[in-house]
Amino acid sequence: MVFHHETGEAVIHELDSDLSSGLSSSQAAQRKQQYGENRLREKKNKSNLRRFIDQFKDVMILILIAAAAVSFVIACIEGDPEGFFEPVLILLIVVLNAIMGVMQESKAEKALDALKNLSAPHARVLRDGKEAVIDASELVPGDIIRLEAGDFIPADARLVQSASLKSEESALTGESVPSEKDAEAVIAEDAPLGDRTNMVFSGCSVTYGTATAVITATGMNTEMGKIANLLEAEEEGMTPLQKKLAQLGKYLGILALAACAIIFVVGILSGIPAMEIFMTAVSLAVSAIPEGLPAIVTIVLSIGVQRMVSKNAIVRRLPAVETLGSASIICSDKTGTLTQNRMTLVKAWLDGMDSPEDISADNSKGIRQLLQYGTLCCDGSVVFENGEEQHIGDPTETAIVLAAHKNGIPKEELNRTYPRLAEIPFDSDRKRMSTVNQINGRFVVIVKGAFDVMAPRCVSGNLEAAQHITEQLSASALRVLAVAYKEIDHVPEAPAPEELENGLTFLGLVGMIDPPRAEAKEAVGICRRAGIKPVMITGDHVVTATAIARELGIFRDGDRAVTGTELDAMSEAELDAQVEHISVYARVSPENKIRIVKAWQRKDQIVAMTGDGVNDAPALKAADIGCAMGITGTDVAKGAADITLTDDNFATIVDAVREGRGIYANIKKVVGFLLGTNIGEVIAVFAAMLLWHKSPLLSMQLLWINLVTDSLPAIALGMEAVEADVMDQKPRPKTESLFAHGFGVRIVLQGVLFGALCLLAFRIGQTVTGELAGGQTLAFLVLSLSQVIQAFNMRSEHSLFRIGVFGNHRLNQAALVSIILVALVLFTPLSIPFGLVHLPVGLYLIGLVLIFVPVAVMELSKAYGLIKHPH
């Protein structure tokens, strides 16, 4: 069947579905088995074998393999069995490194895949006669779905009912202007995709209006599936921080190669065998360059992001984690984010009454009519399952629907008795919604919206009294909606606001409250302490918004509250001059939101912005960090945002900032640890060659130290818990270098410390034992274990003893494994091929003292303020 060429009824019949009840669960299960999940085929993940091979693409690793090959050839020529050990060991270490790299990549990919599944789109579907929200991948042909502005279209579908529907289809057709849709249209069989106005297509989005549609194709059978290559694939690019670190690695590589060249020349001139000095130079180059750093940063980021999921924040783009730590302004919506998102109707006032009436289960006849009309003009619904309420749709609408239900007026029954014949959906520019219903044989237009936009459209009713009641209710922090109506002779084919939303009779007001979240007040306090300014942006009345903001601590003495109208009247210069003093924006439009974001950005502030509607998408993109609402947010808003808050909670944004700061701090610790220890190795070998023309460490020893200290302790360090005082610091400027506040100098000084300890150990060991191997053994012991100890030092800029020495259990495990690996080559027969010897007990004790020198130095530095938090 060519679906766009048939009527909606014919399509539903062909797909064996039902407009009023949808598919049954058994039908859906059978069709899912037949058609598969509603997903596009993703490009295959790399196999572990491919990942393993990719680990050998690094230039330094290839040089090391080449050196091992040369060593193997020389051993063959010389016929020395012991000569085979070195190349075999080098290859073993390289393979072990590659295996660890594969494990790290797999872990990061699993974490990111879990995020993709969490942020998968959902759909409102009719199953077994009940409306439900399900994962879009569960849809099958024949499913009846509901669509409204802001939804991503989950599959190809034939429209059955539509009201002012427009769909953005640029991904498919290239048309930048949204396409107008009409369920009643029957299109020519050979019509091109862009002309099929009675169809909606997977991957596109609804920009305006509402609709009911029947799914005609899913997964790879959709139009998007057929031309899947047109879909924007998410690029697996590096984050800005990773790019900086990769660049740093190149600079270190150049320096290391220069040092290796000098060492090689000095070694040759000193009579050291060419192969030995060549292997030392190569292994030093490999150990000096933290080639695993970008990969480890990915692990730390992905683990941190996974940790944020448990705190109800899904991060869609890794770079957002870096930006989060810099957030200095949080612009938050009020409803559901700062409040409980459980709107409850508490007051109602009918035109002509003396005072508002409390909402109960048995309201007066007039109030019941007000609730009836209000419910008929709502798209939201309340479903009762196992004694629990499930609110579907806008919370202000579900509050009206629930109040009517409690008065014995269920929405389903109202819709059957007084069917909706036409509608003009709500949008944030008009701030109202209209329906045309057949009530007792009459065509009645019902309009609901904010009182200030409704009053000018009413020609009868006591609007002066209504204004007074509105102000009275708003002063009590209630959100107030007005309901008006009029009778018409006929239902227009194309309903227009100018025609339906004028000449109205004012009916009454409903007042609802969404109480502030208890945790939001505490979160606002944390923001203030962290140098972050919270700003409320809402569509609510300015009096209501200010009352809630004052209670939460967002609005303080000296602050201003402005309306969208006042904001429109401000020039850019005026807004820039006043923006720092404005804490509440009420009755704002999406365009206003963008102006607010840009005004703060011109002040060099990093702005986090919340949003839930399709019209919020531009503001979410304009902000440095866009935060979409997971419960009330539209799919379009979620697609434009960097972060989705699964609980729509302001406290979650603050928690996400805290985690972001913690993740950045952990990455900084890992970078400092790896660079400091690697610089120490370079200094030790370079200085020893220049001073004594001897290497304090053989190539195998250097490689083993690199294997032991670079991977496991670094990853464990990156999983350090977020420090308690991370929110006591001021926001970090986005352009601030990773090495700011003397961090780069400290890394170099730590490298000098490790180099000096290694050289001292080498000199003592050689002097006491009288042989080169004795000096190299003590140098190996001191350098390897002092680096393991350094991982503990880097856990915090506070004293290690204050935070608890063994507080990071993963680091304890990593350190234990590293110590065992060092002991393995020191005290077993493996020591012989490694060129290590047994030392007198006194030298081991000296080594033990030298190993803990970094602890003493770091603790003194922290105590005397040489290492401190940037405030």
Side-chain angles (χ1 to χ4, degrees):
M1 173 181 267
V2 180
F3 297 112
H4 60 266
H5 187 55
E6 302 290 339
T7 63
E9 292 77 8
V11 172
I12 290 173
H13 182 264
E14 173 69 19
L15 293 169
D16 192 20
S17 188
D18 187 289
L19 183 59
S20 59
S21 61
L23 296 177
S24 66
S25 296
S26 58
Q27 278 180 305
Q30 186 268 326
R31 293 186 191 192
K32 186 180 174 186
Q33 194 170 10
Q34 180 182 350
Y35 296 103
E37 283 199 332
N38 178 33
R39 294 181 191 270
L40 292 179
R41 273 196 302 271
E42 293 183 357
K43 60 180 180 185
K44 287 183 180 177
N45 290 333
K46 286 184 187 175
S47 66
N48 283 336
L49 177 62
R50 180 57 192 266
R51 283 204 190 100
F52 183 74
I53 293 167
D54 285 347
Q55 302 298 316
F56 298 94
K57 288 182 177 178
D58 188 87
V59 175
M60 287 298 160
I61 298 295
L62 292 174
I63 291 173
L64 199 61
I65 293 170
V70 171
S71 178
F72 185 80
V73 170
I74 291 171
C76 287
I77 294 169
E78 293 179 353
D80 179 12
E82 287 187 7
F84 290 103
F85 183 79
E86 186 167 37
V88 169
L89 181 68
I90 290 169
L91 291 175
L92 180 64
I93 290 171
V94 167
V95 168
L96 275 173
N97 257 324
I99 290 170
M100 290 179 78
V102 170
M103 289 168 66
Q104 289 170 10
E105 274 190 33
S106 298
K107 193 167 189 176
E109 192 171 83
K110 281 175 185 171
L112 294 173
D113 281 347
L115 289 181
K116 281 182 186 175
N117 292 334
L118 277 169
S119 56
H122 290 76
R124 283 172 66 179
V125 66
L126 199 61
R127 289 263 179 97
D128 297 316
K130 294 179 184 175
E131 193 172 294
V133 178
I134 65 169
D135 193 296
S137 64
E138 298 293 316
L139 290 174
V140 295
D143 263 327
I144 305 295
I145 59 168
R146 311 277 194 221
L147 297 170
E148 59 186 38
D151 288 347
F152 272 128
I153 296 161
D156 288 3
R158 171 64 163 88
L159 295 172
V160 183
Q161 297 168 355
S162 65
S164 308
L165 193 73
K166 292 182 183 179
S167 171
E168 204 282 303
E169 298 179 343
S170 59
L172 263 182
T173 63
E175 288 288 336
S176 56
V177 179
S179 303
E180 294 193 8
K181 298 292 180 177
D182 180 11
E184 300 303 319
V186 177
I187 311 300
E189 190 171 338
D190 58 352
L193 213 58
D195 292 343
R196 297 176 193 174
T197 55
N198 58 10
M199 298 284 293
V200 286
F201 302 103
S202 172
C204 302
S205 60
V206 178
T207 59
Y208 192 83
T210 59
T212 300
V214 57
I215 300 293
T216 56
T218 58
M220 294 305 290
N221 295 321
T222 63
E223 294 298 330
M224 193 63 85
K226 294 173 188 173
I227 48 172
N229 58 318
L230 292 183
L231 265 180
E232 289 181 47
E234 285 190 35
E235 292 181 17
E236 297 174 10
M238 292 196 294
T239 72
L241 180 61
Q242 286 172 297
K243 288 175 184 173
K244 286 179 191 171
L245 293 175
Q247 190 69 29
L248 175 69
K250 288 178 185 174
Y251 294 146
L252 286 174
I254 294 167
L255 287 172
L257 289 173
C260 291
I262 295 169
I263 288 170
F264 188 75
V265 171
V266 171
I268 294 295
L269 294 175
S270 304
I272 298 174
M275 192 59 211
E276 184 182 325
I277 194 62
F278 173 69
M279 292 302 296
T280 301
V282 169
S283 57
L284 181 64
V286 173
S287 62
I289 301 166
E291 68 277 343
L293 194 53
I296 289 174
V297 169
T298 304
I299 301 296
V300 174
L301 280 172
S302 59
I303 289 169
V305 163
Q306 196 66 23
R307 196 159 59 189
M308 288 169 80
V309 171
S310 66
K311 302 236 173 135
N312 301 314
I314 299 173
V315 179
R316 295 182 69 249
R317 300 180 181 93
L318 282 183
V321 177
E322 298 167 32
T323 314
L324 264 174
S326 303
S328 54
I329 307 293
I330 299 179
C331 295
S332 174
D333 187 20
K334 177 182 74 68
T335 306
T337 309
L338 291 162
T339 55
Q340 293 176 16
N341 198 26
R342 179 61 78 180
M343 295 297 283
T344 307
L345 213 64
V346 290
K347 298 278 185 182
W349 179 80
L350 194 71
D351 187 35
M353 291 178 72
D354 293 330
S355 61
E357 184 177 313
D358 291 335
I359 294 295
S360 65
D362 186 25
N363 282 113
S364 63
K365 185 178 178 182
I367 294 299
R368 286 163 63 87
Q369 185 194 358
L370 176 63
L371 293 176
Q372 176 181 304
Y373 272 41
T375 301
L376 287 169
C377 190
C378 283
D379 283 328
S381 59
V382 181
V383 178
F384 297 89
E385 282 186 8
N386 304 322
E388 288 189 11
E389 299 169 14
Q390 185 186 2
H391 290 235
I392 300 174
D394 185 88
T396 58
E397 293 196 334
T398 59
I400 298 171
V401 172
L402 185 61
H405 185 91
K406 287 178 178 176
N407 272 274
I409 316 169
K411 185 185 176 188
E412 297 75 18
E413 190 178 310
L414 278 176
N415 286 341
R416 279 195 300 271
T417 309
Y418 310 120
R420 184 183 295 187
L421 306 176
E423 67 181 285
I424 304 175
F426 174 86
D427 72 52
S428 54
D429 291 326
R430 286 171 34 254
K431 294 187 174 67
R432 58 190 180 274
M433 173 183 175
S434 302
T435 63
V436 179
N437 293 75
Q438 188 170 359
I439 301 176
N440 301 327
R442 298 170 296 135
F443 300 133
V444 180
V445 178
I446 306 171
V447 187
K448 79 173 192 308
F451 176 76
D452 54 352
V453 297
M454 293 282 287
R457 288 167 172 73
C458 294
V459 293
S460 67
N462 190 344
L463 297 178
E464 193 175 324
Q467 173 75 42
H468 174 71
I469 297 294
T470 298
E471 289 171 359
Q472 180 186 320
L473 296 175
S474 295
S476 303
L478 297 187
R479 182 171 187 183
V480 182
L481 287 180
V483 179
Y485 70 97
K486 72 174 181 180
E487 290 186 23
I488 55 175
D489 296 330
H490 67 281
V491 181
E493 285 187 19
E498 298 77 16
E499 182 184 358
L500 292 186
E501 296 175 348
N502 283 305
L504 303 172
T505 297
F506 186 81
L507 182 60
L509 301 168
V510 290
M512 58 196 77
I513 190 162
D514 184 9
R517 291 179 182 261
E519 64 273 26
K521 190 168 185 177
E522 183 186 348
V524 168
I526 293 170
C527 279
R528 298 284 190 191
R529 205 170 71 237
I532 300 168
K533 180 179 173 66
V535 176
M536 179 190 284
I537 300 180
T538 179
D540 254 1
H541 195 282
V542 68
V543 180
T544 310
T546 306
I548 295 282
R550 192 183 290 280
E551 187 178 341
L552 290 169
I554 291 174
F555 189 89
R556 302 194 294 190
D557 292 342
D559 286 351
R560 287 191 60 201
V562 302
T563 64
T565 306
E566 291 171 318
L567 190 60
D568 288 334
M570 287 185 193
S571 67
E572 195 171 286
E574 287 172 329
L575 178 57
D576 286 354
Q578 297 182 44
V579 70
E580 292 174 319
H581 305 290
I582 303 171
S583 291
V584 174
Y585 296 88
R587 287 287 192 260
V588 293
S589 67
E591 290 75 22
N592 292 150
K593 280 192 173 186
I594 296 176
R595 283 195 72 197
I596 296 163
V597 169
K598 292 191 180 300
W600 277 114
Q601 288 173 333
R602 285 194 292 274
K603 298 276 184 184
D604 291 327
Q605 301 294 331
I606 309 302
V607 185
M609 165 69 76
T610 70
D612 56 8
V614 63
N615 291 330
D616 290 331
L620 292 174
K621 279 194 172 178
D624 298 282
I625 308 151
C627 304
M629 302 295 105
I631 300 171
T632 59
T634 61
D635 289 335
V636 171
K638 292 173 190 174
D642 304 293
I643 296 172
T644 298
L645 308 177
T646 58
D647 60 354
D648 290 13
N649 193 340
F650 179 80
T652 300
I653 308 173
V654 180
D655 274 346
V657 171
R658 182 177 177 274
E659 287 292 334
R661 288 187 177 191
I663 290 167
Y664 187 85
N666 283 352
I667 289 170
K668 200 169 175 179
K669 291 168 190 174
V670 170
V671 171
F673 169 66
L674 289 176
L675 293 186
T677 53
N678 287 7
I679 288 170
E681 293 170 17
V682 174
I683 288 173
V685 177
F686 189 70
M689 290 299 297
L690 292 180
L691 292 172
W692 307 307
H693 305 309
K694 295 172 185 173
S695 175
L697 294 159
L698 298 175
S699 58
M700 290 182 297
Q701 295 164 3
L702 271 171
L703 289 166
W704 194 254
I705 291 172
N706 210 36
L707 176 72
V708 165
T709 63
D710 264 16
S711 296
L712 292 177
I715 293 171
L717 188 59
M719 297 168 76
E720 183 72 28
V722 179
E723 294 194 61
D725 64 347
V726 75
M727 291 301 277
D728 292 338
Q729 302 165 37
K730 298 298 178 199
R732 169 180 55 84
K734 191 164 64 169
T735 54
E736 180 180 286
S737 165
L738 189 69
F739 303 102
H741 306 288
F743 186 60
V745 174
R746 283 183 358 232
I747 289 173
V748 173
L749 291 176
Q750 286 164 22
V752 171
L753 173 64
F754 286 112
L757 286 173
C758 180
L759 290 170
L760 182 59
F762 173 65
R763 200 64 178 160
I764 292 171
Q766 188 179 17
T767 303
V768 172
T769 62
E771 56 179 323
L772 180 62
Q776 289 172 333
T777 301
L778 191 59
F780 173 81
L781 171 70
V782 169
L783 188 60
S784 56
L785 294 186
S786 63
Q787 289 187 3
V788 174
I789 295 297
Q790 178 65 358
F792 287 87
N793 285 331
M794 294 298 295
R795 282 182 56 210
S796 175
E797 293 179 344
H798 297 296
S799 168
L800 183 59
F801 301 101
R802 177 180 152 190
I803 65 167
V805 178
F806 301 111
N808 185 335
H809 300 301
R810 288 189 178 85
L811 183 56
N812 299 340
Q813 294 162 2
L816 182 62
V817 171
S818 297
I819 291 167
I820 291 170
L821 288 172
V822 170
L824 197 67
V825 296
L826 274 172
F827 304 114
T828 70
L830 276 175
S831 62
I832 298 168
F834 268 92
L836 300 169
V837 295
H838 291 291
L839 301 174
V841 175
L843 279 183
Y844 286 121
L845 292 175
I846 290 171
L848 201 61
V849 171
L850 293 177
I851 285 163
F852 285 98
V853 166
V855 176
V857 172
M858 292 285 280
E859 285 300 310
L860 287 169
S861 299
K862 292 171 183 178
Y864 287 98
L866 299 174
I867 296 176
K868 56 187 176 183
H869 282 301
H871 281 279

